[in-house]
Amino acid sequence: MTISDSTVAIIGTGNIGSRLAANFAAGGQDFLLAGRNAEAARKIAAGLDGHAEVVSVDEAVERAGVLVVAVWLDAFRQLIAQYGGRLAGKVIIDPSNPVGPDGAGGYRKVIGEQESSGQILAGLLPAGARLVKAFGTLSAGSLSAAARQEPDRAVLFYAADDDAVGDLVSDLIRAGGFDPVRVGGLDQSIRIEMFGDLHEFGALGRVVTKSEALKAI
Ligand SMILES: NC(=O)c1ccc[n+]([C@@H]2O[C@H](COP(=O)([O-])OP(=O)(O)OC[C@H]3O[C@@H](n4cnc5c(N)ncnc54)[C@H](OP(=O)(O)O)[C@@H]3O)[C@@H](O)[C@H]2O)c1
């Protein structure tokens, strides 16, 4: 299966959802766009040359085989609890960083030091749903600014347990204007979440191209 055989949806029309929508549209990728606020989704879609079809979250879950869930970790958990078995057979793409405000203008991790939101969420999914960790390794600003970078594309890391879903997400990363680099299975998610060594705000500390990324992993 390739991404052109799949119906893709973005759930969440905030900072990341709207920037991914713009990046996908710029790459010619069609998708469903779903948020709690249909008016906000329509405003985003209006600037995307017909690449985004605004639907409800229910309809996105019903129709899409590949769901990019661009919401915070708690909301993600709630969506999994709400849709449960209806997610079976879907590819769930998880950009979440398990962070919240630290009370001093910064961020702190909201799960255990050695835990990753990717593994926690994968453990909550019904049998047959497959999670890929992707699209969360750069800040929202870099996700826009570094898309379609020339001469060498910037990298988006991903983690996947399964080659077939890894290939699908790679197609989507390319459509969004980045070079995909796999860090390994979902047990490597922690490396590409915020504070992880391959996150823009972790030890790596910057946006990288493929040759730099391959040295870092
Ligand atoms: N911001 C960054 O720089 C960045 C970078 C990498 C990864 N991430 C990750 O990306 C995810 C989204 O972050 P963000 O910055 O885009 O947050 P955001 O701007 O606050 O947007 C979150 C979106 O989630 C929507 N939402 C919440 N519950 C929902 C539900 N049940 N159904 C549908 N939509 C729902 C919100 O809808 P309403 O508008 O109705 O509240 C909002 O549109 C987070 O997990 C974050 O860790 C963020």
Side-chain angles (χ1 to χ4, degrees), residues 11-17 35-37 57 70-73 75 79 95-97 135-136 138-140:
I11 295 179
T13 54
N15 215 348
I16 292 298
R36 287 192 294 203
N37 177 344
V57 176
V71 305
W72 290 94
L73 177 58
L79 283 170
S96 69
N97 283 308
F135 295 118
L138 297 182
S139 64

